[in-house]
Amino acid sequence: MKVVIGLAHHGPDRNRLMNTLMSFGTQADYIWLYDNNSQKEDLTDNGKFFGLSQTNEPCYYFSCDSDLYYPEDYIEKTIEQIEIYNCIVSYHGRKLKGPGLDYYHDHYGYPFNKTQNRDHLIDVAGTGVTAFRTDYFNPKNIAFSEYKRMSDLVFSLEAAKQDKRIICLAHNKDWIIQQEVPKEETIMFKEKNNCFIQNKLADEIWEYKKNITGY
C-alpha cells in the first residue's frame, strides 16, 4: 500500500517548509502539498487533507505540518502501530473532559513535543502528526470544510461521526521536533482567546462519543 503525505503551506517563510520536506527523505511515495499562497482558495491548515480528494486507491495517509522535523523512521514506526491498532493514530491530541469547556485550556492534552510513556485513547487528534489507512477512514472532503484554522477538530468530528478510534502513541520528547516559529504565527496564539467555534465542535465530538460509547 502506498504512503501519501498531505501538507498545507501558508505565509512567506518557505525555509521551514523545505526543512520539513527534507526531513521526510524517501519515506513517502507521494507528497501532496497545498500551497495556500498560490491557490485560488485558501484552505488554511485544512489543505493538508487535499490529497484525500485526489487519491483513489487505498493508502496510508499521513497528515503533517510544514513546520516540523520528522524522524527518519517516522513512516515505518507509525505504520507498524496502525497495523497493530487498526485505527487512526497520532502523536498529539486531546482527551475531552466534558461539554461546555474551553477547548484550548480545559481538556487534557498529549503534546507531541513531550515524552508520552504509553498509548492513550483520545478524542481529538493533532493532525500535524496523524496517520491512518484510507480503507479504514477516508474523509475525502474535509479539506473544504467551512471551519478554518481548526483542522484537528474538523478531522476528529468526522471520525467521531463514523465511530473511528484515535490512539495517541507513546513517543520520546525529541523524536518529532518543532521548528522555530514566532508564537504570533501559530494557530493557537491567534485563536485561543476567541475559540467559541472550537468549543462548539469539541462539544459536538463529546456528544457523538457519549451517544456511541456512553461517556
Side-chain angles (χ1 to χ4, degrees):
M1 191 178 292
K2 300 289 187 183
V3 172
V4 178
I5 290 172
L7 284 166
H9 175 66
H10 53 85
D13 190 340
R14 297 188 68 85
N15 290 328
R16 290 196 295 263
L17 170 63
M18 294 307 299
N19 290 338
T20 296
L21 292 171
M22 292 293 291
S23 74
F24 287 123
T26 60
Q27 293 185 72
D29 296 293
Y30 302 101
I31 297 178
W32 278 100
L33 172 62
Y34 193 90
D35 189 344
N36 289 292
N37 298 323
S38 61
Q39 299 294 327
K40 291 182 179 179
E41 184 176 2
D42 184 355
L43 301 180
T44 67
D45 56 328
N46 293 335
K48 71 184 76 171
F49 297 112
F50 179 76
L52 289 173
S53 66
Q54 308 299 308
T55 304
N56 296 319
E57 296 181 359
C59 67
Y60 294 105
Y61 196 90
F62 284 73
S63 61
C64 298
D65 282 348
S66 60
D67 59 1
L68 300 179
Y69 290 109
Y70 293 86
E72 62 184 10
D73 56 354
Y74 181 73
I75 300 295
E76 178 185 2
K77 288 188 176 298
T78 305
I79 287 175
E80 288 176 359
Q81 297 302 308
I82 291 173
E83 294 302 322
I84 289 172
Y85 279 113
N86 190 31
C87 73
I88 302 162
V89 301
S90 188
Y91 297 96
H92 175 81
R94 284 179 170 84
K95 183 74 175 176
L96 301 179
K97 293 181 179 179
L101 300 175
D102 183 280
Y103 174 67
Y104 285 110
H105 299 103
D106 292 341
H107 300 292
Y108 195 84
Y110 297 94
F112 73 87
N113 57 357
K114 293 185 179 180
T115 297
Q116 303 295 335
N117 291 318
R118 64 183 181 89
D119 303 337
H120 298 272
L121 184 65
I122 59 174
D123 302 308
V124 181
T127 55
V129 286
T130 290
F132 51 96
R133 288 176 59 133
T134 59
D135 54 0
Y136 173 76
F137 181 56
N138 192 6
K140 274 185 171 290
N141 295 315
I142 63 170
F144 309 99
S145 170
E146 64 180 300
Y147 301 112
K148 308 300 184 185
R149 295 181 298 280
M150 52 190 80
S151 60
D152 295 357
L153 286 159
V154 169
F155 175 88
S156 301
L157 177 58
E158 189 59 35
K161 289 177 180 179
Q162 297 186 32
D163 191 22
K164 302 300 185 182
R165 292 190 309 149
I166 308 172
I167 298 289
C168 185
L169 300 172
H171 58 276
N172 292 325
K173 176 182 177 181
D174 296 323
W175 193 54
I176 303 166
I177 299 174
Q178 173 74 62
Q179 297 185 55
E180 186 173 343
V181 180
K183 69 176 183 179
E184 60 271 15
E185 293 183 17
T186 65
I187 289 175
M188 182 174 177
F189 180 84
K190 294 175 181 178
E191 303 290 336
K192 67 179 180 179
N193 294 320
N194 185 28
C195 57
F196 172 79
I197 297 176
Q198 288 89 337
N199 297 345
K200 170 181 172 291
L201 294 179
D203 286 353
E204 287 186 36
I205 292 171
W206 174 266
E207 286 299 318
Y208 275 105
K209 295 274 189 173
K210 183 181 72 173
N211 292 334
I212 292 171
T213 66
Y215 264 28

mmCIF file of all heavy atoms in Angstrom, residues 93-108:
data_model
loop_
_atom_site.group_PDB
_atom_site.id
_atom_site.type_symbol
_atom_site.label_atom_id
_atom_site.label_comp_id
_atom_site.label_asym_id
_atom_site.label_seq_id
_atom_site.Cartn_x
_atom_site.Cartn_y
_atom_site.Cartn_z
ATOM 1 N N GLY A 93 -2.692 15.235 20.789
ATOM 2 C CA GLY A 93 -4.141 15.325 20.790
ATOM 3 C C GLY A 93 -4.707 15.688 22.144
ATOM 4 O O GLY A 93 -3.980 16.043 23.076
ATOM 5 N N ARG A 94 -6.023 15.577 22.229
ATOM 6 C CA ARG A 94 -6.722 15.918 23.458
ATOM 7 C C ARG A 94 -7.742 14.848 23.826
ATOM 8 O O ARG A 94 -8.392 14.272 22.950
ATOM 9 C CB ARG A 94 -7.430 17.270 23.328
ATOM 10 C CG ARG A 94 -6.509 18.469 23.408
ATOM 11 C CD ARG A 94 -7.278 19.770 23.251
ATOM 12 N NE ARG A 94 -6.448 20.921 23.561
ATOM 13 C CZ ARG A 94 -5.623 21.493 22.708
ATOM 14 N NH1 ARG A 94 -5.504 21.017 21.481
ATOM 15 N NH2 ARG A 94 -4.898 22.541 23.067
ATOM 16 N N LYS A 95 -7.868 14.631 25.114
ATOM 17 C CA LYS A 95 -8.942 13.836 25.684
ATOM 18 C C LYS A 95 -9.942 14.817 26.276
ATOM 19 O O LYS A 95 -9.604 15.605 27.171
ATOM 20 C CB LYS A 95 -8.395 12.910 26.780
ATOM 21 C CG LYS A 95 -9.444 11.995 27.391
ATOM 22 C CD LYS A 95 -9.796 10.876 26.432
ATOM 23 C CE LYS A 95 -10.750 9.889 27.087
ATOM 24 N NZ LYS A 95 -11.177 8.837 26.136
ATOM 25 N N LEU A 96 -11.174 14.791 25.774
ATOM 26 C CA LEU A 96 -12.166 15.747 26.230
ATOM 27 C C LEU A 96 -12.675 15.374 27.618
ATOM 28 O O LEU A 96 -12.952 14.206 27.892
ATOM 29 C CB LEU A 96 -13.327 15.806 25.235
ATOM 30 C CG LEU A 96 -12.954 16.212 23.795
ATOM 31 C CD1 LEU A 96 -14.199 16.211 22.917
ATOM 32 C CD2 LEU A 96 -12.266 17.562 23.756
ATOM 33 N N LYS A 97 -12.812 16.371 28.468
ATOM 34 C CA LYS A 97 -13.272 16.129 29.837
ATOM 35 C C LYS A 97 -14.780 16.257 29.978
ATOM 36 O O LYS A 97 -15.348 15.807 30.974
ATOM 37 C CB LYS A 97 -12.580 17.111 30.788
ATOM 38 C CG LYS A 97 -11.084 16.889 30.932
ATOM 39 C CD LYS A 97 -10.485 17.885 31.920
ATOM 40 C CE LYS A 97 -9.001 17.664 32.110
ATOM 41 N NZ LYS A 97 -8.403 18.637 33.057
ATOM 42 N N GLY A 98 -15.419 16.897 29.013
ATOM 43 C CA GLY A 98 -16.853 17.086 29.089
ATOM 44 C C GLY A 98 -17.278 18.268 28.250
ATOM 45 O O GLY A 98 -16.448 18.960 27.662
ATOM 46 N N PRO A 99 -18.589 18.533 28.185
ATOM 47 C CA PRO A 99 -19.102 19.647 27.384
ATOM 48 C C PRO A 99 -18.985 20.973 28.118
ATOM 49 O O PRO A 99 -18.805 21.030 29.340
ATOM 50 C CB PRO A 99 -20.570 19.265 27.175
ATOM 51 C CG PRO A 99 -20.914 18.482 28.418
ATOM 52 C CD PRO A 99 -19.666 17.729 28.792
ATOM 53 N N GLY A 100 -19.069 22.057 27.351
ATOM 54 C CA GLY A 100 -19.113 23.392 27.928
ATOM 55 C C GLY A 100 -17.802 23.911 28.448
ATOM 56 O O GLY A 100 -17.779 24.867 29.231
ATOM 57 N N LEU A 101 -16.693 23.327 27.998
ATOM 58 C CA LEU A 101 -15.379 23.722 28.486
ATOM 59 C C LEU A 101 -14.598 24.465 27.411
ATOM 60 O O LEU A 101 -14.908 24.370 26.227
ATOM 61 C CB LEU A 101 -14.592 22.491 28.937
ATOM 62 C CG LEU A 101 -15.230 21.666 30.060
ATOM 63 C CD1 LEU A 101 -14.401 20.404 30.328
ATOM 64 C CD2 LEU A 101 -15.371 22.492 31.329
ATOM 65 N N ASP A 102 -13.567 25.199 27.832
ATOM 66 C CA ASP A 102 -12.703 25.905 26.890
ATOM 67 C C ASP A 102 -11.800 24.897 26.185
ATOM 68 O O ASP A 102 -11.075 24.149 26.836
ATOM 69 C CB ASP A 102 -11.866 26.937 27.641
ATOM 70 C CG ASP A 102 -11.000 27.764 26.709
ATOM 71 O OD1 ASP A 102 -9.936 27.264 26.289
ATOM 72 O OD2 ASP A 102 -11.384 28.909 26.407
ATOM 73 N N TYR A 103 -11.848 24.907 24.863
ATOM 74 C CA TYR A 103 -11.132 23.880 24.095
ATOM 75 C C TYR A 103 -9.639 23.903 24.361
ATOM 76 O O TYR A 103 -9.015 22.860 24.568
ATOM 77 C CB TYR A 103 -11.396 24.057 22.602
ATOM 78 C CG TYR A 103 -10.560 23.115 21.757
ATOM 79 C CD1 TYR A 103 -10.773 21.742 21.805
ATOM 80 C CD2 TYR A 103 -9.541 23.593 20.943
ATOM 81 C CE1 TYR A 103 -9.998 20.869 21.071
ATOM 82 C CE2 TYR A 103 -8.764 22.731 20.200
ATOM 83 C CZ TYR A 103 -8.999 21.368 20.260
ATOM 84 O OH TYR A 103 -8.215 20.508 19.537
ATOM 85 N N TYR A 104 -9.040 25.072 24.367
ATOM 86 C CA TYR A 104 -7.582 25.156 24.457
ATOM 87 C C TYR A 104 -7.051 24.965 25.880
ATOM 88 O O TYR A 104 -5.907 24.560 26.055
ATOM 89 C CB TYR A 104 -7.091 26.497 23.904
ATOM 90 C CG TYR A 104 -7.126 26.560 22.399
ATOM 91 C CD1 TYR A 104 -8.044 27.374 21.743
ATOM 92 C CD2 TYR A 104 -6.252 25.796 21.627
ATOM 93 C CE1 TYR A 104 -8.077 27.431 20.354
ATOM 94 C CE2 TYR A 104 -6.291 25.854 20.245
ATOM 95 C CZ TYR A 104 -7.202 26.672 19.618
ATOM 96 O OH TYR A 104 -7.242 26.717 18.246
ATOM 97 N N HIS A 105 -7.866 25.251 26.881
ATOM 98 C CA HIS A 105 -7.335 25.286 28.236
ATOM 99 C C HIS A 105 -7.883 24.221 29.179
ATOM 100 O O HIS A 105 -7.227 23.907 30.177
ATOM 101 C CB HIS A 105 -7.593 26.676 28.852
ATOM 102 C CG HIS A 105 -6.942 27.793 28.119
ATOM 103 N ND1 HIS A 105 -7.629 28.632 27.276
ATOM 104 C CD2 HIS A 105 -5.645 28.196 28.074
ATOM 105 C CE1 HIS A 105 -6.798 29.529 26.757
ATOM 106 N NE2 HIS A 105 -5.591 29.285 27.220
ATOM 107 N N ASP A 106 -9.059 23.680 28.922
ATOM 108 C CA ASP A 106 -9.726 22.861 29.930
ATOM 109 C C ASP A 106 -9.655 21.347 29.705
ATOM 110 O O ASP A 106 -9.948 20.591 30.628
ATOM 111 C CB ASP A 106 -11.204 23.267 30.036
ATOM 112 C CG ASP A 106 -11.378 24.661 30.614
ATOM 113 O OD1 ASP A 106 -10.431 25.159 31.243
ATOM 114 O OD2 ASP A 106 -12.456 25.255 30.414
ATOM 115 N N HIS A 107 -9.299 20.915 28.516
ATOM 116 C CA HIS A 107 -9.245 19.481 28.239
ATOM 117 C C HIS A 107 -7.829 18.939 28.442
ATOM 118 O O HIS A 107 -6.858 19.702 28.480
ATOM 119 C CB HIS A 107 -9.739 19.193 26.820
ATOM 120 C CG HIS A 107 -11.154 19.632 26.588
ATOM 121 N ND1 HIS A 107 -12.224 19.029 27.206
ATOM 122 C CD2 HIS A 107 -11.674 20.630 25.825
ATOM 123 C CE1 HIS A 107 -13.346 19.630 26.830
ATOM 124 N NE2 HIS A 107 -13.040 20.603 25.991
ATOM 125 N N TYR A 108 -7.725 17.633 28.562
ATOM 126 C CA TYR A 108 -6.419 17.036 28.823
ATOM 127 C C TYR A 108 -5.639 16.883 27.523
ATOM 128 O O TYR A 108 -6.148 16.303 26.558
ATOM 129 C CB TYR A 108 -6.573 15.682 29.505
ATOM 130 C CG TYR A 108 -5.264 15.205 30.112
ATOM 131 C CD1 TYR A 108 -4.877 15.630 31.386
ATOM 132 C CD2 TYR A 108 -4.393 14.384 29.403
ATOM 133 C CE1 TYR A 108 -3.668 15.238 31.933
ATOM 134 C CE2 TYR A 108 -3.187 13.983 29.944
ATOM 135 C CZ TYR A 108 -2.831 14.407 31.207
ATOM 136 O OH TYR A 108 -1.637 14.031 31.741
#
